[in-house]
Amino acid sequence: MRKMFSGESKVFYLYRYISLAGTSLVYAIEDRGPPLSLKIGIILVLFIFAKWITDMYTQSGQASRTIKITVGLEMTGMMILHLLSGGMDSPFLWCVFNPAWMAASYLSSVYCWFMMLSYFLFVTAFSYFFANDQTQSLATMLLNENRFYLMLLFMTLSIQLLAGVKSRLEIANARTTETMEHMKSLYQIVEAATHSESENLKIIFAEFALKLTKLKMSFFWDVNGSGNGGHDHLITQGITPVGVEASLSTAIEIHAAELRQLDSCMVMSLPEHGDFLVIPIKSSTRFWGVMGVKVERSSYEEGRHWFVKQLYFLSELCAVILERHQLERIENQLMIIEEQNRIADEMHDSVSQYIFGIVYAVHSLSRKWKDISTDQIKEQLQIIQESSVAASQELRSTIYSLSSRKNGGAFWITTVKSHLDSLSKLHAVKVTLNVTGDDHGLQVNYQKALFRIISEATGNAIRHGRSSHIKVDLSMKSDEVKLSVLDNGSGFSVTERLSDPKVSGLGVNNMELLVQSFGGTINIQSTKGKGTHIQVTLPSGHQDKKELNEIQMMG
């Protein structure tokens, strides 16, 4: 059965009561038929019956069986009404379009035509046997009432035709919605992957597998995962039963050779934990791991094509992004090596020459200073001084070329302001940024993490919260960094959002992972209709303390 939309319901109920009121008025003022008091009684009963039937339609929702029973009851009521009000001469004949409309729009064609045929036979038989005063033949009577029957036939066909068009439009709309969801998911995955470290990518893709398939459990098995046990390679999301991680890791390792050669999905059955739909993640040059979801046998049979399509989509995207991150790491390493070689060449060609000259001059002067005059000593010292100044200038030039702070280049906070300005102009949203402290002492990894958190928080406030004003406060001190992002958006229930893995946004999870990696804290306060407030605190000395502990352990 097709779903009844609110707009269609309003039109249907409007036609129901208007047609009933019009025909009741005609029935009441016409001369023939029972007395006026009885007519009024019939009309009141009819309105009560119509109200009861309307309530049944409203409460039935999408229950096909309930709709069928209600349509049958209404059609029976229409037959009795026609029997009491004159058969084919009854003014209530046009009210039969009410159940006909419902049957043609929301039930099967077979049931619709069965109801219409039953009505046709009943009214025709009653009119022929009980209301045929002139003893007309059946053919003559049908010809006399052909307009009504043809109108009933054409109206039913028209309603079914429109219902068919509507059904095809619903299918097209569902496909469009599915395509938009794919595009939205693609955008979210790429954005989350861009703003995450490579070690967090597996978690992100496992979360998206859970989100897209709408199942209860997903996983990512990393072939390069660290740890001694096989289950240390496995990342799970959603509801994870006890013992499933170890069993799943063992099964994947047993089928690892087969999975490396696989190009599509396969079903992996675990005796105690059910069935898992898995797909390898591999590029043209490398095997990254395995992604999968836990499927129930019934849901898998119904949505097999859908689950396979979603996992294939994710596996291809995951392989591309992992390959890109790997290439970026190699590119960064090559850039560092190239920069090291450039600095070494500059130091060798300029500074080292000056230092060599200074060392040679000092050595020569220390051997001959007793044998040369004071003027010659002053001359040698002047040369050493000039060489020292030249070496210092070369060093300063090299340092200035590498430091944006020294050469007047863009600071990190300038990049943040530029990003927020672009966001404000693009979405017509007011974004204010208040900064206290100096960002030049902020380590690069802190700058990257804070920029990602600011981008995610402001992006979510615009996309999901529909905010019109966002306030960002950033305080940088020697011992800690505090970030506050406050918006006036629609807000949400923090408890519900974080407790349900299918509802919880990837942005929130990414922010939590980033903050935890720096030993910081994150506090999210939000109320529906009152906006969201995100507070982040990062200890500035966390990385330094970690490195100091490692040095002490090594020593």
Side-chain angles (χ1 to χ4, degrees):
M1 192 198 77
R2 292 182 290 274
K3 182 180 178 181
M4 183 190 297
F5 294 94
S6 59
E8 294 177 79
S9 302
K10 291 178 181 178
V11 174
F12 172 72
Y13 296 144
L14 183 63
Y15 172 79
R16 170 183 293 273
Y17 287 112
I18 289 178
S19 63
L20 182 59
T23 52
S24 297
L25 180 61
V26 172
Y27 178 63
I29 64 177
E30 67 180 2
D31 295 334
R32 61 189 179 85
L36 180 61
S37 58
L38 182 58
K39 289 181 178 180
I40 293 175
I42 293 175
I43 292 172
L44 289 176
V45 172
L46 183 59
F47 269 92
I48 294 173
F49 177 74
K51 179 65 170 62
W52 176 62
I53 288 293
T54 302
D55 291 340
M56 287 189 65
Y57 281 134
T58 304
Q59 297 171 7
S60 64
Q62 299 186 48
S64 177
R65 181 179 178 83
T66 307
I67 291 287
K68 287 181 178 180
I69 294 174
T70 308
V71 169
L73 287 174
E74 186 174 16
M75 186 65 78
T76 303
M78 289 294 102
M79 293 177 183
I80 296 173
L81 177 63
H82 296 162
L83 187 150
L84 297 175
S85 57
M88 294 300 297
D89 295 327
S90 172
F92 294 104
L93 283 176
W94 297 103
C95 291
V96 76
F97 284 114
N98 292 323
W101 189 339
M102 288 297 297
S105 298
Y106 307 113
L107 298 176
S108 66
S109 299
V110 175
Y111 186 83
C112 173
W113 288 110
F114 171 76
M115 295 298 298
M116 297 307 297
L117 181 61
S118 300
Y119 171 79
F120 170 78
L121 293 176
F122 175 83
V123 173
T124 303
F126 174 78
S127 300
Y128 181 73
F129 292 108
F130 299 101
N132 189 3
D133 297 335
Q134 300 177 359
T135 63
Q136 293 178 340
S137 65
L138 180 62
T140 304
M141 187 183 67
L142 292 176
L143 288 174
N144 291 336
E145 304 297 337
N146 62 356
R147 292 183 180 179
F148 173 73
Y149 289 121
L150 288 175
M151 181 64 71
L152 187 62
L153 174 65
F154 290 142
M155 286 290 289
T156 305
L157 287 173
S158 299
I159 293 171
Q160 285 199 325
L161 179 62
L162 291 175
V165 172
K166 185 198 71 173
S167 177
R168 288 191 290 271
L169 289 175
E170 289 175 2
I171 295 173
N173 182 65
R175 290 175 179 173
T176 303
T177 303
E178 178 184 340
T179 303
M180 293 301 296
E181 286 296 324
H182 274 286
M183 295 176 64
K184 179 181 176 182
S185 299
L186 175 62
Y187 168 75
Q188 290 177 338
I189 293 172
V190 173
E191 183 182 35
T194 302
H195 292 165
S196 300
E197 299 293 341
S198 56
E199 57 269 18
N200 295 331
L201 288 177
K202 288 83 175 181
I203 300 176
I204 292 173
F205 278 99
E207 288 179 346
F208 264 106
L210 195 70
K211 178 180 178 181
L212 288 178
T213 59
K214 296 180 175 61
L215 294 173
K216 295 181 179 180
M217 176 189 168
S218 64
F219 68 89
F220 191 106
W221 184 80
D222 185 6
V223 70
N224 299 313
S226 59
N228 296 324
H231 62 277
D232 293 331
H233 294 247
L234 191 69
I235 299 168
T236 60
Q237 293 293 324
I239 303 174
T240 307
V242 178
V244 70
E245 293 185 359
S247 300
L248 190 56
S249 295
T250 303
I252 292 175
E253 289 180 351
I254 293 174
H255 296 87
E258 180 183 357
L259 288 168
R260 286 176 180 270
Q261 304 298 324
L262 195 66
D263 292 324
S264 59
C265 293
M266 66 173 286
V267 177
M268 183 180 296
S269 299
L270 302 182
E272 298 180 358
H273 303 289
D275 297 332
F276 293 83
L277 186 64
V278 300
I279 189 170
I281 310 298
K282 59 182 181 179
S283 59
S284 57
T285 59
R286 187 169 181 178
F287 175 69
W288 299 94
V290 177
M291 180 190 299
V293 291
K294 186 178 186 299
V295 293
E296 301 295 336
R297 177 59 63 179
S298 57
S299 62
Y300 176 69
E301 294 297 334
E302 293 176 1
R304 180 179 181 277
H305 176 71
W306 169 258
F307 296 143
V308 171
K309 183 178 179 180
Q310 297 299 326
L311 283 184
Y312 184 79
F313 162 74
L314 277 177
S315 68
E316 291 290 314
L317 187 60
C318 183
V320 170
I321 291 179
L322 288 172
E323 188 76 15
R324 192 199 68 182
H325 270 259
Q326 179 70 11
L327 293 175
E328 285 180 354
R329 284 197 297 267
I330 296 174
E331 182 183 6
N332 290 335
Q333 292 174 357
L334 292 176
M335 288 177 62
I336 292 172
I337 294 173
E338 182 180 359
E339 189 64 17
Q340 289 174 340
N341 292 334
R342 185 187 68 81
I343 295 173
D345 291 339
E346 289 186 359
M347 296 283 288
H348 178 269
D349 294 340
S350 57
V351 179
S352 63
Q353 297 298 326
Y354 284 115
I355 293 176
F356 176 77
I358 292 171
V359 171
Y360 180 80
V362 170
H363 177 72
S364 177
L365 185 60
S366 65
R367 293 180 57 188
K368 300 179 181 180
W369 69 274
K370 293 182 180 180
D371 302 329
I372 58 179
S373 63
T374 303
D375 293 337
Q376 289 177 323
I377 292 175
K378 289 181 178 181
E379 182 180 356
Q380 289 293 324
L381 291 174
Q382 182 66 29
I383 294 173
I384 293 173
Q385 182 182 6
E386 292 175 355
S387 297
S388 300
V389 170
S392 176
Q393 290 177 345
E394 288 290 339
L395 281 174
R396 186 178 292 110
S397 176
T398 303
I399 292 172
Y400 272 50
S401 66
L402 297 174
S403 174
S404 61
R405 184 179 182 182
K406 300 296 184 180
N407 61 23
F411 299 155
W412 172 75
I413 201 65
T414 306
T415 305
V416 175
K417 289 180 179 178
S418 176
H419 172 74
L420 295 180
D421 288 342
S422 300
L423 204 66
S424 175
K425 294 176 182 177
L426 181 62
H427 298 280
V429 176
K430 183 180 179 182
V431 182
T432 57
L433 174 64
N434 300 317
V435 180
T436 57
D438 187 7
D439 65 307
H440 298 121
L442 201 62
Q443 299 178 18
V444 175
N445 52 349
Y446 277 75
Q447 293 178 1
K448 292 171 63 178
L450 288 169
F451 183 82
R452 290 167 182 167
I453 295 172
I454 292 172
S455 299
E456 192 65 48
T458 53
N460 286 341
I462 293 173
R463 288 192 304 272
H464 306 302
R466 309 298 182 190
S467 305
S468 60
H469 184 199
I470 304 173
K471 184 180 179 183
V472 181
D473 294 313
L474 181 61
S475 173
M476 293 170 287
K477 299 180 180 179
S478 58
D479 57 340
E480 68 177 7
V481 179
K482 290 186 176 181
L483 171 66
S484 169
V485 181
L486 177 65
D487 67 71
N488 65 344
S490 58
F492 57 90
S493 174
V494 179
T495 304
E496 294 178 3
R497 181 68 61 86
L498 298 180
S499 61
D500 190 348
K502 295 184 179 181
V503 178
S504 179
L506 291 172
V508 175
N509 293 334
N510 288 339
M511 287 190 287
E512 288 181 340
L513 287 172
L514 279 172
V515 172
Q516 291 173 5
S517 66
F518 286 88
T521 58
I522 180 170
N523 181 30
I524 302 176
Q525 299 175 345
S526 184
T527 305
K528 292 183 178 179
K530 296 185 178 180
T532 303
H533 190 194
I534 299 176
Q535 296 172 297
V536 174
T537 302
L538 300 179
S540 297
H542 175 69
Q543 294 292 331
D544 296 336
K545 292 178 182 178
K546 182 178 178 180
E547 293 176 0
L548 180 61
N549 292 336
E550 291 178 353
I551 293 173
Q552 290 176 348
M553 291 177 63
M554 291 174 63

